[in-house]
Amino acid sequence: MAFDYKKEYKEFYMPKNKPEIITVPKANYIAIRGKGDPNEEGGAYKQAIGVLYAVAYTLKMSYKTDYKIDGFFEYVVPPLEGFWWQDNVEGVDYTNKSVFNWISVIRLPDFISEKDFEWAVETATKKKKLDCSSAEFLSIDEGLCVQIMHIGPFDDEPATVALMDEYLAENGYVNDFSDTRLHHEIYLSDARKVAPEKWKTVIRHPIKKL
């Protein structure tokens, strides 16, 4: 059986639909940075997703090539995630998607080094005839956070975020957004196959004790 991060690390990928506080350890990711509305057809966000998956699957299937990764074991590609922010806005203004800044990421297994990552970018670019040079190897240490499972369309997230904020106020915490600590979403549903009212998205915010 291939190692599945969602099943092995349920505390980070499968929270309940009520807020909980966790400490998220440092991890490495394939990352692409961009700006603009994620829903724009053929836009930067959609292109970034294509590149992320091209690199992710090149690494996952590397064991079938001549390139060998030290410590490799078979695994399921972890879900797509995104860090989102808007300049001069605390949290997220869902009504103004065109001014989004985003970092789209897919988690990497710990055994994948920067050298392995560079091999995958080069290989994916050649094999898939897709420029993957925008992908970067990024380490993120989220630390103390509040998270919740949001069920439904993305535009309904403000009500779920309000539950998180209420929970923080009751328990002596506050949001701790900064240039490096951002609104974080983990996408557990394939939006092409699942109705919006059933979409599952982990929402995670950085926090600190009051």
Side-chain angles (χ1 to χ4, degrees):
M1 284 283 286
F3 185 91
D4 188 337
Y5 284 83
K6 291 194 303 298
K7 290 178 181 163
E8 300 296 334
Y9 296 108
K10 282 189 175 146
E11 67 269 34
F12 303 126
Y13 292 101
M14 305 299 282
K16 300 192 168 50
N17 57 355
K18 58 183 188 190
E20 60 188 33
I21 288 169
I22 53 155
T23 299
V24 185
K26 186 176 181 180
N28 297 326
Y29 298 84
I30 309 166
I32 297 182
R33 298 166 192 270
K35 287 176 183 282
D37 187 339
N39 300 319
E40 186 192 333
E41 271 311 315
Y45 182 76
K46 300 265 166 76
Q47 289 173 18
I49 304 309
V51 171
L52 283 178
Y53 278 109
V55 176
Y57 277 95
T58 299
L59 285 163
K60 171 186 161 65
M61 303 309 291
S62 63
Y63 69 98
K64 294 192 169 181
T65 72
D66 294 338
Y67 185 86
K68 298 302 170 213
I69 294 175
D70 287 346
F72 184 93
F73 53 77
E74 286 191 54
Y75 63 96
V76 176
V77 169
L80 178 69
E81 309 184 36
F83 292 89
W84 301 86
W85 74 100
Q86 292 150 316
D87 297 329
N88 307 314
V89 174
E90 174 150 326
V92 171
D93 173 5
Y94 292 82
T95 62
N96 196 0
K97 297 186 176 73
S98 64
V99 298
F100 268 133
N101 300 287
W102 40 263
I103 307 172
S104 281
V105 304
I106 293 176
R107 183 175 176 167
L108 288 169
D110 292 343
F111 56 71
I112 288 173
S113 69
E114 227 164 319
K115 181 170 82 69
D116 302 326
F117 171 81
E118 282 160 11
W119 166 83
V121 168
E122 202 175 300
T123 303
T125 298
K126 277 185 202 151
K127 281 197 173 164
K128 302 190 186 290
K129 298 187 170 41
L130 177 69
D131 180 4
C132 297
S133 61
S134 56
E136 63 180 285
F137 183 93
L138 186 64
S139 296
I140 300 171
D141 190 354
E142 287 189 82
L144 192 65
C145 294
V146 61
Q147 66 178 15
I148 193 171
M149 181 72 79
H150 170 74
I151 313 262
F154 302 132
D155 286 345
D156 291 352
E157 285 184 15
T160 303
V161 169
L163 290 177
M164 295 162 76
D165 290 345
E166 201 176 299
Y167 178 82
L168 294 181
E170 285 166 5
N171 289 278
Y173 291 88
V174 289
N175 286 307
D176 188 28
F177 294 110
S178 70
D179 291 349
T180 54
R181 306 195 77 209
L182 303 163
H183 173 92
H184 183 183
E185 299 182 354
I186 304 174
Y187 308 108
L188 300 175
S189 305
D190 185 336
R192 297 165 303 180
K193 297 176 184 168
V194 179
E197 63 272 16
K198 293 183 179 169
W199 288 351
K200 288 183 172 179
T201 307
V202 180
I203 302 178
R204 189 182 290 162
H205 283 171
I207 61 169
K208 64 183 176 187
K209 194 87 177 136
L210 257 183

